[in-house]
Amino acid sequence: MGVHRASGLAAFILTLSLALPSSLGGLDDIQARYGVLSNWESGNLVSNLTLINAGASDIDTDGLPVNLYLCLIRLVVNSANENGTVVSTTPRVTVHHLDGCAHRIQYAAPFTLRAGESFSVNLTQRLWSVAYTDVMRNWYIQLGNGTYQLIQNTNKDQIEFVDPFDTEEKYLRSPSDFVLPLSLEDRYDDQKKVFEAKKDEIKVRLIPDTFESLNISETQKYTPVYNSSTTQLPISYDMDPSLGTDQFKMQVSADGSIVISSSTNTSSVRNIALSALTQLLERFGDTLPVGTHVGKTPRYQYRGFMLDLARHFHDKEVIKRQLELMWRYRLNSLHLHLTDDESWAIEIEDIPELTMYGSRQCFNLSECGNYPQLGRELTNSKQYLSKSEYIEIVQFADSLDITVIPEIELPGHATAAIQAMKIRHQNSSPGDVDYRLHDPLNDADYLSVQYFTQGAMNPCVDSMYTFVQTVVENLQAYHEEAGQPLNIIHLAGDEVPENAWTNSPACEKIISTLGVDATNQDKVNTIRIEMTKKLGIMAGELNVSLAFWEDGLINKTSTLPMDRDLVFPANVTVYSWIWQTVWEWWGGDRAFNMANSGYKVVMAPATRYYMDHPHEPHPRERGYYWAVRSTSLRRTFSFRPGNYYANIDGVTLYGNPVTQKQWCTPWKCPELVNKENIVGVEAPLFGETIQTADNIDNNVYPRLLAVAERSWSEASWEKLGGENPPGLQEDFDLFRQSVEMFEVPALEKIHSVKYHLSPPGASVIEEDESMQMLQFSVEFKGQGVLVRKEGSDQLTDATDLTLEYTKGTQVFFRTRNNDASRHSYEIPYYVPGKSKSKTTNPANHATNSGVALALVFLPTFYMM
């Protein structure tokens, strides 16, 4: 592994000052607000940023400027130039882009703010912002060159300091955006069930749907046992060569004995059977059906979930909890996104500076890898997995037969690593290994998609390959110590700015040697291919398979996959993670082109399986929405990996209708020739807005259950075309009833999962001049509806309740969970009347009509 050369560095992180003061004089009383004014300003958004003196004394900075530091995920127009952009002249206010989403807004001296008063500036930013979580938390304020202090009201939920998205210009991305927030009626239609199954049908419908058949006429009682401890039951194992790969047979005898058979008798099949056994025990009240029960052969060998630790760090206990849940739903691959522009989140023993600097964020880049990004709070706490923690995670995963796949982002998304290696080099001694990731003579001026200015490793410097090999060798050693070999290393390859290396003398030398005389794009493409060849040779020498996001394997000149046989050694298996299902962006042919070109394909469709996207198109939902405005449970469930182009049927990113027939021509929809190269599916959770374990729960569950369902078996309706093929709704209703009856209680009671609570729906079922009768819906049986009157904080359960209102009243609805310990965000409903005019609101858009004096709440909870 090499010598740990940097003595004393371990103590560095304990003594490094982040300059976290206890006071900034009058600035202690500063509060802040942010609001979108319009998304419809010629492709930009206009926002308003306000500083408020909430104290009792006037603020006078005594001739010093005030600096405000915050993350704006939409770049302030013209702020990336050397002098920034002036947004106010009296006082003079200038916005400077620092890197990524980090901006500094400087209020020039003299700056005064009287008690109780505020000062606002308008900002013009790129693109749009239609959700609260677009606005990142934890803003810092600084007087002159002094210390940095957190503005306390920005350390809370965004609803506390972000203005409402209450007009179309605020909650729609443009005038041509047809994806409206759901009305109560829309949500009612989505939540109602068309098909009601019998309880016994629901019992045997495990998630994923695991058994070919399950006879439940006779049962045998057992002592309650859960999770992997089911090995305490009287189980024996046998061989049955007639069974398929990873298929099992379970024989439950009247005397209580359990025999699990498989063709290979491997631990992976045992864990699959034990996971199914756990669900059966829960569903049948600690009994098991007597008889022979044959499991289905899993549809895909790769059934994955990705967790991002680089944007916001999650510790080993959070990861182990996700592994337990993956085991429950028969997912077998945990993809850990360990590095990105924002930070480096895994200790590499031979390069300690990666976590010493690269895992940290601060305002002095001689001490850390990046400015505070994505609302991270300044902290001295450890924000990475140590070697021992990573090994513990791999060992725990291995005990559940889950493979851990580490991802190291390169060459793009590498700001933290590049900066850490710059600091290392500046502090190095003669004879130290050179791990620099940049060409010091490259003065290229570029911005990545996420607005990073120096975020691409330079593949034309040899030290980059020394760095990559050292990192991979360290990870291999960790896996070897954990007892699970490193079979796949994910090297990303995505989103490299096209002009990142155009001014690099090192790259010009390579281009000259290769005799390439073409455009910058061709030069960059050539460099990418040469880099990929070198990585392939390294992988062959280290005996490890490689994985990339699809764009990392695309020949940018031809838009087709790189030639597998020319770029990679024959002994190296190469995986392509396919995300591009935004059909109108083209590139939808990549999945089959990759498979036909010899790459192993893992489908991770951004418009269906990206868990970081919102559940519905409402401003209060958490997540980015660049691929699709929202991804409902039904949308996730209805993905057809085996009938790929049928997934086109529906609407575009902006809500325009699109069909497979419209989109497909022979060159855009190639046939799948090498079907064996489609090896699995994955649900990625990128972490830009995922700050806590509760955020993980909210965005992942219950949608991950639908991914598990599709990974395990193919439904008959998947072979059909159209957005709503026959059989889909019936199958989804059965799936949803299985979730509500058994999985929701298990998630909450056994695993303490705070799964997503969808707001209620409602339908007007009776109306006259004086009253309106609403019938409520909820997503899952057992949930309830809470009602709040305008001007009151009291929440009342709507069950069997009739409430009287005067004309023009507004009421607010929330969904509560089964035990009333949590509730969803609030949906306003305006009871139409003459006493005041209706205001447009994203939560009741196109909902209200007529007049009313009373509301009668009749909840429908879909009785069995």
Side-chain angles (χ1 to χ4, degrees):
M1 288 286 292
V3 178
H4 188 127
R5 59 164 196 86
S7 61
L9 287 177
F12 178 87
I13 197 167
L14 300 177
T15 60
L16 180 64
S17 171
L18 282 175
L20 299 175
S22 59
S23 174
L24 266 182
L27 296 187
D28 285 351
D29 295 320
I30 288 286
Q31 293 183 2
R33 289 203 68 81
Y34 177 94
V36 171
L37 300 178
S38 175
N39 288 301
W40 298 2
E41 297 294 326
S42 302
N44 293 319
L45 77 93
V46 176
S47 60
N48 179 266
L49 189 151
T50 303
L51 294 183
I52 306 160
N53 181 358
S57 303
D58 295 348
I59 293 174
D60 186 339
T61 63
D62 196 25
L64 293 174
V66 171
N67 294 312
L68 175 67
Y69 295 87
L70 72 163
C71 165
L72 296 170
I73 67 167
R74 305 305 188 198
L75 183 72
V76 175
V77 173
N78 296 325
S79 66
N81 63 59
E82 185 177 354
N83 298 314
T85 183
V86 176
V87 295
S88 172
T89 55
T90 309
R92 186 178 179 85
V93 180
T94 308
V95 182
H96 298 268
H97 172 246
L98 300 175
D99 208 17
C101 70
H103 288 69
R104 181 180 74 243
I105 302 180
Q106 186 170 73
Y107 300 77
F111 182 77
T112 60
L113 196 59
R114 295 186 181 278
E117 293 187 353
S118 61
F119 178 76
S120 297
V121 294
N122 287 352
L123 307 175
T124 301
Q125 299 174 247
R126 291 188 182 180
L127 301 175
W128 51 76
S129 179
V130 299
Y132 285 93
T133 55
D134 286 349
V135 185
M136 296 299 170
R137 302 166 59 239
N138 295 321
W139 301 7
Y140 286 85
I141 197 164
Q142 176 195 38
L143 182 60
N145 293 320
T147 51
Y148 307 92
Q149 181 155 319
L150 178 66
I151 298 178
Q152 291 299 323
N153 78 310
T154 67
N155 187 234
K156 302 175 181 178
D157 187 282
Q158 284 92 333
I159 195 73
E160 301 294 333
F161 67 96
V162 177
D163 293 339
F165 294 82
D166 54 5
T167 68
E168 289 190 345
E169 289 187 48
K170 296 179 183 181
Y171 61 78
L172 297 179
R173 290 160 288 183
S174 76
S176 58
D177 185 357
F178 298 106
V179 185
L180 297 171
L182 298 182
S183 67
L184 286 170
E185 191 80 30
D186 292 334
R187 201 176 292 107
Y188 181 87
D189 289 340
D190 287 348
Q191 291 176 347
K192 70 182 179 182
K193 298 182 181 72
V194 176
F195 169 77
E196 294 286 351
K198 296 179 180 179
K199 189 170 183 178
D200 283 348
E201 291 180 278
I202 301 170
K203 270 188 177 183
V204 301
R205 179 62 145 81
L206 303 192
I207 296 180
D209 189 10
T210 305
F211 288 97
E212 290 183 353
S213 62
L214 199 61
N215 183 0
I216 62 172
S217 59
E218 182 182 356
T219 59
Q220 171 65 39
K221 183 73 174 177
Y222 293 90
T223 302
V225 191
Y226 297 105
N227 297 330
S228 54
S229 61
T230 47
T231 51
Q232 298 172 15
L233 293 171
I235 299 174
S236 60
Y237 299 94
D238 198 4
M239 298 280 289
D240 186 342
S242 68
L243 297 170
T245 304
D246 284 345
Q247 185 182 22
F248 70 91
K249 180 173 64 178
M250 183 187 301
Q251 293 171 287
V252 180
S253 299
D255 63 5
S257 63
I258 304 168
V259 179
I260 295 174
S261 303
S262 63
S263 61
T264 57
N265 202 20
T266 59
S267 62
S268 63
V269 183
R270 293 180 187 179
N271 264 305
I272 289 170
L274 292 174
S275 171
L277 189 58
T278 297
Q279 287 184 334
L280 286 175
L281 285 167
E282 293 169 5
R283 288 166 179 248
F284 285 85
D286 302 318
T287 67
L288 288 176
V290 173
T292 299
H293 316 299
V294 179
K296 297 179 179 179
T297 300
R299 179 183 196 175
Y300 293 121
Q301 66 187 59
Y302 185 99
R303 306 181 297 279
F305 170 65
M306 190 208 84
L307 182 61
D308 183 350
L309 305 185
R311 270 52 180 270
H312 292 281
F313 179 66
H314 306 286
D315 65 29
K316 70 173 183 179
E317 297 307 321
V318 172
I319 299 168
K320 289 169 73 173
R321 178 168 169 266
Q322 294 307 313
L323 285 165
E324 290 177 347
L325 288 160
M326 290 175 65
W327 179 87
R328 178 181 180 89
Y329 298 113
R330 270 79 88 193
L331 299 172
N332 65 359
S333 300
L334 175 63
H335 171 186
L336 289 178
H337 187 81
L338 295 170
T339 75
D340 215 295
D341 284 305
E342 290 78 9
S343 75
W344 185 283
I346 177 67
E347 177 186 10
I348 300 300
E349 199 170 37
D350 284 349
I351 316 178
E353 295 86 355
L354 281 169
T355 45
M356 192 169 303
Y357 304 111
S359 70
R360 302 185 57 257
Q361 297 178 353
C362 66
F363 292 106
N364 181 357
L365 292 190
S366 66
E367 299 177 344
C368 65
N370 216 321
Y371 295 104
Q373 301 284 345
L374 300 174
R376 267 207 195 185
E377 189 174 357
L378 290 177
T379 178
N380 276 322
S381 65
K382 184 173 71 67
Q383 298 290 296
Y384 63 90
L385 293 176
S386 68
K387 171 188 173 181
S388 61
E389 289 171 332
Y390 183 80
I391 289 172
E392 182 180 339
I393 288 166
V394 176
Q395 287 174 330
F396 184 70
D398 196 57
S399 72
L400 304 176
D401 280 287
I402 296 173
T403 300
V404 176
I405 299 171
E407 179 184 358
I408 305 299
E409 278 272 11
L410 66 84
H413 289 274
T415 300
I418 293 168
Q419 178 63 18
M421 293 304 93
K422 286 181 180 179
I423 299 173
R424 180 188 186 280
H425 185 75
Q426 291 165 1
N427 298 331
S428 65
S429 303
D432 286 346
V433 178
D434 187 358
Y435 289 125
R436 282 180 294 176
L437 301 172
H438 71 295
D439 179 353
L441 301 179
N442 180 14
D443 61 355
D445 183 18
Y446 65 88
L447 284 176
S448 71
V449 175
Q450 292 82 15
Y451 309 132
F452 286 94
T453 58
Q454 296 294 320
M457 298 181 187
N458 192 310
C460 304
V461 295
D462 291 339
S463 52
M464 186 195 110
Y465 301 97
T466 306
F467 172 88
V468 175
Q469 180 150 342
T470 301
V471 169
V472 176
E473 286 176 342
N474 275 246
L475 291 171
Q476 277 189 310
Y478 298 174
H479 276 255
E480 183 179 351
E481 186 172 339
Q484 184 184 89
L486 180 64
N487 293 324
I488 304 174
I489 180 74
H490 201 303
L491 297 180
D494 60 311
E495 295 186 330
V496 180
E498 287 189 358
N499 57 340
W501 312 310
T502 51
N503 292 349
S504 166
C507 289
E508 287 298 327
K509 183 178 179 180
I510 290 177
I511 291 295
S512 177
T513 301
L514 294 172
V516 177
D517 183 18
T519 65
N520 281 340
Q521 182 177 350
D522 289 337
K523 291 179 181 179
V524 170
N525 191 52
T526 299
I527 293 165
R528 288 178 58 254
I529 293 173
E530 290 302 305
M531 174 197 73
T532 309
K533 286 180 180 179
K534 290 183 179 181
L535 295 174
I537 293 170
M538 178 202 73
E541 293 172 347
L542 297 177
N543 192 30
V544 64
S545 297
L546 292 178
F548 299 89
W549 296 102
E550 62 182 67
D551 28 342
L553 293 171
I554 290 294
N555 184 324
K556 300 291 185 179
T557 302
S558 67
T559 71
L560 293 171
M562 296 179 188
D563 190 309
R564 164 73 180 81
D565 296 330
L566 290 179
V567 174
F568 295 101
N571 67 328
V572 176
T573 302
V574 184
Y575 294 81
S576 178
W577 258 242
I578 301 295
W579 59 264
Q580 169 56 305
T581 50
V582 188
W583 304 103
E584 62 268 31
W585 290 358
W586 313 113
D589 57 352
R590 290 178 180 174
F592 287 2
N593 280 339
M594 285 287 179
N596 293 340
S597 298
Y599 295 101
K600 301 297 182 183
V601 167
V602 173
M603 292 188 178
T607 58
R608 304 276 181 159
Y609 281 6
Y610 270 39
M611 300 283 104
D612 46 283
H613 279 47
H615 290 262
E616 67 169 77
H618 191 284
R620 289 296 304 275
E621 291 285 344
R622 179 171 298 277
Y624 283 1
Y625 42 86
W626 58 265
V628 65
R629 184 61 187 88
S630 66
T631 305
S632 66
L633 179 63
R634 188 182 190 277
R635 182 175 176 81
T636 304
F637 180 86
S638 62
F639 178 61
R640 287 165 274 187
N643 189 7
Y644 192 62
Y645 301 120
N647 297 294
I648 298 172
D649 292 315
V651 295
T652 65
L653 180 57
Y654 276 78
N656 293 298
V658 62
T659 66
Q660 179 180 345
K661 185 177 180 180
Q662 279 178 307
W663 196 87
C664 275
T665 61
W667 66 272
K668 284 193 294 189
C669 297
E671 291 185 11
L672 178 61
V673 177
N674 298 335
K675 294 182 180 180
E676 70 281 1
N677 284 337
I678 306 293
V679 298
V681 296
E682 178 177 283
L685 178 67
F686 284 101
E688 289 92 343
T689 67
I690 309 300
Q691 299 172 340
T692 67
D694 286 353
N695 294 161
I696 295 174
D697 287 357
N698 175 81
N699 275 58
V700 172
Y701 300 99
R703 290 186 294 191
L704 189 63
L705 281 63
V707 177
E709 184 75 10
R710 293 281 73 76
S711 75
W712 197 262
S713 60
E714 183 177 26
S716 58
W717 53 262
E718 290 189 59
K719 297 179 173 65
L720 306 175
E723 185 177 5
N724 296 294
L728 167 59
Q729 186 63 47
E730 183 174 333
D731 193 27
F732 177 63
D733 284 346
L734 179 57
F735 166 83
R736 188 165 42 159
Q737 289 169 83
S738 181
V739 171
E740 72 185 5
M741 183 174 286
F742 297 107
E743 298 310 314
V744 162
L747 286 172
E748 287 200 314
K749 294 176 183 177
I750 299 174
H751 300 284
S752 302
V753 170
K754 297 179 180 179
Y755 68 93
H756 179 261
L757 287 171
S758 178
S763 178
V764 178
I765 58 173
E766 187 177 335
E767 184 172 14
D768 59 28
E769 292 184 356
S770 62
M771 62 86 70
Q772 222 180 42
M773 183 177 291
L774 290 184
Q775 190 172 48
F776 279 125
S777 67
V778 289
E779 186 171 24
F780 298 122
K781 178 186 175 182
Q783 296 174 341
V785 177
L786 300 175
V787 181
R788 180 176 69 85
K789 298 179 183 180
E790 185 176 28
S792 171
D793 292 331
Q794 183 177 354
L795 294 174
T796 306
D797 201 300
T799 305
D800 298 324
L801 192 62
T802 301
L803 301 175
E804 297 290 335
Y805 292 100
T806 58
K807 292 182 179 179
T809 299
Q810 193 169 38
V811 288
F812 304 86
F813 305 140
R814 312 178 193 188
T815 297
R816 61 158 175 79
N817 68 335
N818 296 36
D819 64 4
S821 61
R822 297 187 300 122
H823 56 73
S824 71
Y825 55 85
E826 196 168 63
I827 298 294
Y829 180 76
Y830 178 68
V831 186
K834 298 178 181 179
S835 62
K836 74 175 185 180
S837 61
K838 172 189 167 186
T839 57
T840 306
N841 187 289
N844 65 359
H845 188 90
T847 301
N848 304 322
S849 62
V851 294
L853 280 174
L855 288 173
V856 180
F857 299 99
L858 298 178
T860 52
F861 295 138
Y862 308 120
M863 303 304 292
M864 289 295 136

